[in-house]
Amino acid sequence: MSDSSSTATLVAILRAEIARLVPGDRLPSSRDLTGRHGVSPVTVSRAFALLAAEGAVVTRPGSGTYVAPRRTRAGIDVPDTSWQAVALAGRNLDLGDADGPSGGLPDGVIAMAGGYLHESLQPTRALGAALARAARRPNAWDRAPTAGLAPLRAIFARLAGSTVSPEDVLVTGGGQGALSMVFRAIAAPGSPILVESPTYPGALAAARAAGLRPVPVPMDDDGTRPDLLADAFAMTGARLLYCQPTFHNPTGTVLAPARRREVVDVARAAGAFLVEDDFARHLGHGGPVPRALVADDRDGTVIHLTSLTKPASPSLRIGAVIARGPVMRRLQGMRLVEDFFIARPLQEAAIELVSTPAWDRHLRALSTALRERCTALAEALAREVPDWTISRLPAGGLHLWVQLPPGAADSATADAARAYGVALNSGSRFFPSEPPSTWLRLGFAAAAGPAELAEGARRLKVAAGADR
């Protein structure tokens, strides 16, 4: 019998014996077990080590091995995983929550947190029909190309601008995964990454998970300040900038036309990549949407990220990276290492969805609904909490960026709001370093409608009073 099978057999025997004992009971000694089961002392040592790692036993040098205390949760034995604190030491990711709660909210809580559409705003019927048609396509369940299906790559290229070709597109599993992949592909652990301040918390989480150091670049009403951006590149030697030029999360800012070319030029002069997160291109409120930075980029400075998730459904995890040159080959190589390809049925469903008139109708209806909700929430806040200052009424996106009055703490306000049945995001998590003042991000797309947003504002008035 091999050593591994002997160890597994002994572990099974000891588990059965442990089940009959109570915490604190002593197990047979190594000598007893070697004689009783005809195994070597090494096999006994390995078996005890495995059981200790599971939390089933505790070994006391010079005394023996004992049944460990049983931790229970709802009547179910829970192993002791405290040993993992030692095994994981040295890498504290501190990821937090990328963009709001991952699960559903309790009944009665009004959703002003997170970054997804309420079910009533999602094209549910069109999605179902698209998925049904996709499943009937020839070869729908075959392996997809690493870069993505050609028709879907062509769609993303056309959305980005006439200068982008399908060969510049890599289909991804949504925007967040693409963000993480791009950061890890470009910058080595320990490197600086320049980010707007404030910025999307999911980008900060992805950067820190990749071992990068986020360095803030201040913004004003026209977006990223090119002068301070150039200073940040010079001081840090960074080779990577992450920004959201269109309907910035959380502020709603649109990078001014005069600055759009200048920001790209500053990055190019520094020999750096500019990662353009274009998550909100389909979330405009009815006005013109600026041309993507990548559309005017000729030398591969801009890496463009986009996704169908935000304007459609949280579960339509389909996005794209647009890049040119060696960096695209590197990204394709990472795709092969990580997951080979994006599930073909989902890609086929995305093609079906965006190729029908129903998609255009959905985007027009969504634009109107977002504008109405944005206005409704802004008016309700002005009425109920007039000392809260809305930074701007955004022309796109899903959120209002609200400054609290002096002396108010964002975390305490968020906790008080939750106690009164409103979930929102405290502003400090959007800053890569100390925030200059106190902010909240309030979403208007995840609630059921304008009436619920008005009720949320009334609850916030009570919560704000209780917090004082």
Side-chain angles (χ1 to χ4, degrees):
M1 184 181 292
S2 67
D3 289 343
S4 59
S5 62
S6 296
T7 302
T9 300
L10 183 57
V11 166
I13 293 170
L14 290 174
R15 283 199 187 109
E17 189 161 344
I18 290 168
R20 294 190 295 269
L21 301 174
V22 298
D25 282 352
R26 188 176 185 274
L27 291 173
S29 68
S30 176
R31 179 177 298 177
D32 291 339
L33 291 173
T34 57
R36 186 188 309 174
H37 300 290
V39 296
S40 69
V42 172
T43 297
V44 175
S45 177
R46 288 174 179 168
F48 278 154
L50 288 170
L51 292 168
E54 295 174 359
V57 301
V58 175
T59 299
R60 300 170 187 161
S63 176
T65 301
Y66 298 83
V67 178
R70 292 192 175 98
R71 292 162 174 80
T72 61
R73 181 176 60 233
I76 301 173
D77 284 350
V78 179
D80 179 9
T81 59
S82 57
W83 64 272
Q84 294 184 6
V86 178
L88 295 172
R91 185 76 186 277
N92 181 15
L93 299 185
D94 190 23
L95 301 184
D97 190 4
D99 199 8
S102 58
L105 294 172
D107 290 343
V109 175
I110 296 174
M112 293 186 185
Y116 295 119
L117 301 177
H118 186 269
E119 184 180 3
S120 63
L121 297 179
Q122 298 173 25
T124 306
R125 183 174 298 178
L127 280 166
L131 192 59
R133 291 194 302 271
R136 295 193 297 269
R137 283 188 169 210
N139 306 319
W141 294 93
D142 284 356
R143 171 173 175 159
T146 298
L149 298 179
L152 186 55
R153 296 169 72 195
I155 289 169
F156 279 121
R158 186 170 62 252
L159 291 173
S162 58
T163 64
V164 177
S165 73
E167 289 69 33
D168 301 327
V169 178
L170 174 67
V171 176
T172 66
Q176 186 66 29
L179 193 62
S180 176
M181 180 172 64
V182 167
F183 287 174
R184 289 180 289 111
I186 294 175
S191 301
I193 175 174
L194 305 187
V195 299
E196 297 158 318
S197 185
T199 192
Y200 167 49
L204 295 176
R208 288 166 179 151
L212 308 184
R213 291 188 296 107
V215 177
V217 178
M219 302 174 62
D220 59 20
D221 289 342
D222 290 326
T224 305
R225 289 183 53 179
D227 56 336
L228 297 180
L229 176 62
D231 290 344
F233 273 124
M235 288 187 295
T236 65
R239 293 293 179 264
L240 188 59
L241 163 67
Y242 168 79
C243 66
Q244 304 167 87
T246 303
F247 310 136
H248 174 270
N249 176 14
T251 68
T253 303
V254 175
L255 187 61
R259 290 188 180 180
R260 298 179 83 83
R261 184 72 257 168
E262 189 176 358
V263 166
V264 176
D265 288 343
V266 169
R268 181 187 294 113
F273 289 101
L274 185 158
V275 178
E276 176 188 24
D277 189 344
D278 201 29
F279 77 99
R281 178 149 300 271
H282 294 303
L283 302 177
H285 297 176
V289 179
R291 184 178 171 91
L293 298 183
V294 73
D296 298 314
D297 174 50
R298 296 290 183 177
D299 56 10
T301 297
V302 178
I303 297 175
H304 180 89
L305 306 182
T306 188
S307 171
L308 297 177
T309 303
K310 294 294 187 185
S313 164
S315 288
L316 187 63
R317 307 300 301 174
I318 292 291
V321 175
I322 296 173
R324 299 179 173 100
V327 71
M328 173 54 84
R329 292 190 288 277
R330 179 175 293 189
L331 291 169
Q332 290 175 344
M334 291 191 70
R335 161 58 45 74
L336 286 172
V337 169
E338 293 189 347
D339 54 11
F340 295 116
F341 57 91
I342 302 303
R344 183 164 187 152
L346 203 57
Q347 292 192 59
E348 299 277 14
I351 294 169
E352 289 283 354
L353 176 67
V354 302
S355 300
T356 63
W359 178 246
D360 292 331
R361 290 195 297 271
H362 163 67
L363 292 181
R364 289 195 296 271
L366 178 62
S367 175
T368 299
L370 291 178
R371 183 175 64 251
E372 292 174 348
R373 285 161 169 259
C374 178
T375 301
L377 179 56
E379 291 176 348
L381 292 174
R383 182 172 60 252
E384 304 293 348
V385 280
D387 54 346
W388 292 15
T389 304
I390 299 173
S391 63
R392 66 177 47 77
L393 201 64
L398 308 174
H399 311 100
L400 293 178
W401 188 233
V402 179
Q403 187 173 18
L404 293 175
D410 63 327
S411 57
T413 302
D415 289 343
R418 187 62 176 256
Y420 283 90
V422 180
L424 48 78
N425 298 119
S426 58
S428 55
R429 59 199 294 271
F430 294 82
F431 290 89
S433 59
E434 295 80 8
S437 53
T438 309
W439 299 84
L440 299 173
R441 191 189 72 169
L442 278 68
F444 46 78
E452 189 168 86
L453 291 170
E455 170 60 22
R458 286 191 289 272
R459 295 184 188 182
L460 290 176
K461 177 182 180 179
V462 179
D467 187 43
R468 292 194 179 100

